[in-house]
């Protein structure tokens, strides 16, 4: 097959799938704004496209979100026309459509099969929109309207999607019924041969101290430290954690930007806002046991998982973080929020413990109980790794599923673009 990949940060979620397809003899080409000139990667041709135009100053915010996607879609369309003029006719187009890039590609290649990475459909129910009442917008009655507009990009892609793939059932179920019979659930996969326990792991933290498995290490990870991933809840529990665990070290990975939700007010960062909120309840000598590592290379992230004695994972009802499954694969003892995406991956009492997202007192109690029970931690860790190896292993399960899904697209009758 001739396969065209579209991703604004290529390879993104396709980093294992692309080489696997190329190794099977398929001709693979990618379009992305990430590169400035054509490059080769795993025999794959990666071609640039330039995002032309910019958002209209002062435009209504609901329209501004769609306009950025429209600009990407139009820019990618122009690059696709150029690729077509050079004779490339893909059998299959694979795209993460969340940024709008693939919006017009069926207009270029109407006979190509379009397979979309269906990460999330924005849902207007109270469970999603009003999950955390602390961060309600000024006019919550407008949220259903705003979110409906945010889904314009999703709706336009539904018309041209021949098949979709979602990493979890929770994510697939956010999409309307007219999508679901075309969506396959298959996780991107965890390389459990790489993400594994290591009794000899070491982690150097900010003060030069070396932490090992002999230390009581509590770990917490966000891509960026923000409320969507429960950073505020964890920080509000932190003073009591430090008080009750005088020998514990708390290591935190995460950047200062925003991945999801709103930016922090007044030009601040969520990280600093919640440090400031609890700072008067943490003695200076205890702050020395809290280590902010920022955004780290993968090897350092892995080392942190491998020295972890207890890993805390909190999330809104939203996309499940890879880091939870990676922590499970590393045989961490997990304490996670009892929210819907977590319940799909974790079973209370079998592969981890769960606690109500907002109950910081219960979080502290259960965390301390877990730290005091080495046999339970070992049992949970073993079970967690076994679960990930059975259901989320990259090599034996997930990657073969993805390859099979891509190759099955050739049997589909392609949907033409609507007028």
């Amino acid at each position: 097959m001739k396969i065209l990949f579209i991703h604004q940060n290529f390879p993104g979620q396709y980093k294992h799938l692309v080489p696997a397809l190329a190794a099977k003899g398929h001709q693979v080409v990618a379009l992305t704004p990430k590169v400035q000139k054509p490059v080769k990667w795993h025999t794959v041709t990666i071609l640039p496209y330039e995002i032309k135009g910019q958002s209209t100053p002062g435009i209504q915010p609901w329209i501004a979100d769609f306009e950025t996607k429209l600009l990407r879609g139009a820019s990618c369309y122009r690059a696709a026309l150029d690729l077509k003029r050079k004779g490339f006719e893909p059998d299959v187009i694979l795209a993460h459509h969340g940024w709008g890039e693939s919006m017009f590609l069926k207009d270029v290649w109407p006979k190509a099969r379009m397979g979309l990475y269906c990460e999330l459909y924005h849902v207007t129910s109270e469970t999603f929109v009003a999950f955390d009442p602390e961060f309600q917008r000024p006019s919550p009655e407008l949220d259903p309207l705003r979110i409906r507009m945010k889904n314009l990009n999703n709706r336009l892609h539904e018309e041209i999607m021949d098949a979709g793939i979602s990493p979890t059932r929770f994510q697939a179920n956010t999409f309307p019924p007219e999508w679901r019979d075309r969506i396959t659930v298959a996780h991107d996969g965890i390389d459990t041969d790489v993400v594994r326990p290591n009794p000899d792991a070491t982690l150097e933290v900010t003060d030069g101290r070396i932490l090992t498995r002999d230390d009581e290490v509590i770990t917490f990870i966000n891509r960026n430290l923000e409320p969507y991933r429960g950073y505020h809840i964890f920080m509000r529990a932190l003073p009591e954690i430090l008080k009750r665990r005088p020998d514990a070290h708390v290591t935190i990975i995460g950047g200062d930007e925003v991945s999801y939700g709103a930016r922090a007010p007044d030009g601040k960062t969520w990280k600093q806002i919640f440090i400031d909120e609890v700072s008067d309840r943490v003695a200076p000598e205890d702050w020395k046991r809290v280590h902010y590592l920022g955004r780290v290379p993968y090897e350092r992230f892995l080392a942190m998982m491998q020295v972890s004695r207890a890993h805390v994972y909190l999330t809104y009802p939203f996309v499940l973080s890879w880091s939870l499954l990676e922590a499970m694969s590393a045989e961490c003892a997990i304490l996670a929020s009892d929210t819907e995406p977590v319940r799909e991956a974790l079973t209370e009492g079998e592969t981890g413990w769960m606690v109500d997202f907002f109950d910081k007192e219960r979080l502290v109690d259960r965390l301390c109980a877990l730290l005091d029970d080495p046999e339970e931690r070992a049992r949970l860790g073993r079970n967690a790794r076994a679960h990930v190896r059975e259901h989320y292993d990259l090599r034996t399960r997930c990657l073969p599923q993805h390859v099979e899904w891509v190759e099955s697209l050739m049997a589909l009758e392609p949907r033409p673009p609507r007028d």
Side-chain angles (χ1 to χ4, degrees):
M1 292 190 296
K2 293 181 179 179
I3 304 172
L4 177 65
F5 279 88
I6 310 292
H7 198 295
Q8 59 92 28
N9 189 34
F10 183 85
Q13 287 89 347
Y14 301 125
K15 69 177 181 178
H16 299 295
L17 179 61
V18 169
L21 291 170
K24 293 196 70 176
H26 300 298
Q27 182 184 352
V28 182
V29 175
L31 275 176
T32 179
K34 186 179 179 181
V35 299
Q36 301 299 314
K37 59 183 181 180
V39 296
K40 284 282 189 179
W41 177 68
H42 289 284
T43 74
V44 174
T45 301
I46 305 175
L47 301 174
Y49 79 84
E50 180 185 358
I51 301 172
K52 295 184 178 181
Q54 57 185 356
S55 297
T56 306
I59 195 171
Q60 208 276 351
W62 299 349
I63 300 298
D65 177 76
F66 181 70
E67 188 181 31
T68 61
K69 296 176 172 62
L70 181 61
L71 292 171
R72 284 181 179 269
S75 299
C76 191
Y77 171 77
R78 285 190 287 267
L81 284 176
D82 185 57
L83 192 55
K84 181 180 177 70
R85 282 191 289 267
K86 294 175 180 176
F88 185 71
E89 293 285 340
D91 300 300
V92 169
I93 300 170
L94 299 177
H96 187 317
H97 69 281
W99 296 273
E101 297 168 293
S102 46
M103 195 181 300
F104 304 119
L105 295 190
K106 275 291 186 91
D107 295 278
V108 182
W109 295 293
K111 294 183 179 179
R113 288 81 173 166
M114 177 77 80
L116 297 181
Y117 188 96
C118 298
E119 188 164 30
L120 190 75
Y121 195 93
H122 304 285
V123 181
T124 60
S125 71
E126 286 287 309
T127 306
F128 290 81
V129 176
F131 175 75
D132 192 340
E134 181 176 350
F135 299 102
Q136 291 298 297
R137 293 177 180 269
S139 303
E141 71 278 3
L142 298 179
D143 279 339
L145 285 67
R146 174 182 60 83
I147 291 171
R148 194 179 309 150
M149 290 296 296
K150 196 174 181 69
N151 277 322
L152 273 179
N153 177 56
N154 273 324
R155 283 292 187 181
L156 288 171
H157 276 89
E158 189 273 334
E159 297 180 355
I160 58 174
M161 181 184 83
D162 295 299
I165 197 163
S166 285
T168 66
R169 175 58 56 192
F170 168 81
Q171 288 166 261
N173 286 345
T174 63
F175 287 84
E178 57 266 32
W179 289 67
R180 291 180 199 163
D181 62 348
R182 284 176 279 154
I183 296 178
T184 296
V185 176
H187 196 268
D188 309 319
I190 304 299
D191 192 338
T192 62
D193 292 333
V194 172
V195 188
R196 59 187 304 149
N198 177 9
D200 300 319
T202 62
L203 177 69
E204 183 176 349
V205 290
T206 46
D207 59 359
R209 182 187 177 103
I210 304 296
L211 299 177
T212 73
R213 295 284 297 174
D214 293 329
D215 296 297
E216 185 171 276
V217 180
I218 301 164
T219 53
F220 183 82
I221 294 174
N222 289 180
R223 179 182 300 173
N224 285 296
L225 300 170
E226 56 188 328
Y228 255 74
R229 297 305 195 195
Y231 172 66
H232 57 313
I233 303 297
F234 183 74
M235 286 301 293
R236 288 165 180 168
L238 184 62
E240 186 65 17
I241 292 170
L242 294 169
K243 178 181 177 182
R244 291 172 60 175
R245 312 303 302 187
D247 296 322
H249 287 263
V250 179
T251 60
I252 300 173
I253 284 177
D256 295 339
E257 300 173 3
V258 175
S259 297
Y260 318 106
R263 292 190 175 277
D266 304 323
K268 298 178 181 179
T269 66
W270 292 118
K271 171 186 172 181
Q272 195 59 47
I273 283 174
F274 294 109
I275 289 176
D276 294 343
E277 181 179 316
V278 303
S279 60
D280 63 348
R281 293 189 286 126
V282 179
E285 59 271 21
D286 287 336
W287 273 119
K288 295 178 182 178
R289 297 187 285 121
V290 180
H291 311 285
Y292 281 91
L293 306 185
R295 302 286 290 272
V296 300
Y298 193 75
E299 294 76 15
R300 198 167 188 216
F301 159 85
L302 184 57
M304 183 168 128
M305 290 292 90
Q306 290 168 334
V307 301
S308 176
R309 190 167 291 185
H311 179 67
V312 178
Y313 176 75
L314 307 173
T315 184
Y316 285 12
F318 196 63
V319 175
L320 188 74
S321 303
W322 279 23
S323 65
L324 173 63
L325 296 172
E326 288 170 313
M328 294 170 69
S329 183
E331 240 173 62
C332 290
I334 308 289
L335 178 60
S337 58
D338 188 8
T339 42
E340 189 175 351
V342 176
R343 289 194 291 270
E344 184 174 342
L346 197 75
T347 301
E348 163 66 30
E350 293 184 18
T351 53
W353 287 0
M354 288 190 278
V355 64
D356 182 274
F357 179 91
F358 300 103
D359 194 342
K360 65 181 187 296
E361 290 81 11
R362 179 69 170 157
L363 187 155
V364 174
D365 288 343
R366 296 212 81 185
L367 178 60
C368 290
L370 194 58
L371 291 167
D372 285 334
D373 194 337
E375 291 184 1
E376 176 69 353
R377 291 198 311 271
R379 183 185 70 86
L380 293 174
R382 288 192 302 270
N383 290 349
R385 177 168 171 79
H387 180 77
V388 171
R389 283 180 63 82
E390 180 179 358
H391 297 283
Y392 299 97
D393 183 71
L394 174 69
R395 305 294 172 189
T396 63
R397 186 176 181 89
C398 296
L399 187 55
Q401 284 180 319
H402 278 254
V403 171
E404 180 182 358
W405 174 75
V406 173
E407 294 181 334
S408 73
L409 298 184
M410 279 301 293
L412 301 177
E413 183 68 27
R415 285 185 164 208
R418 296 182 187 175
D419 293 333

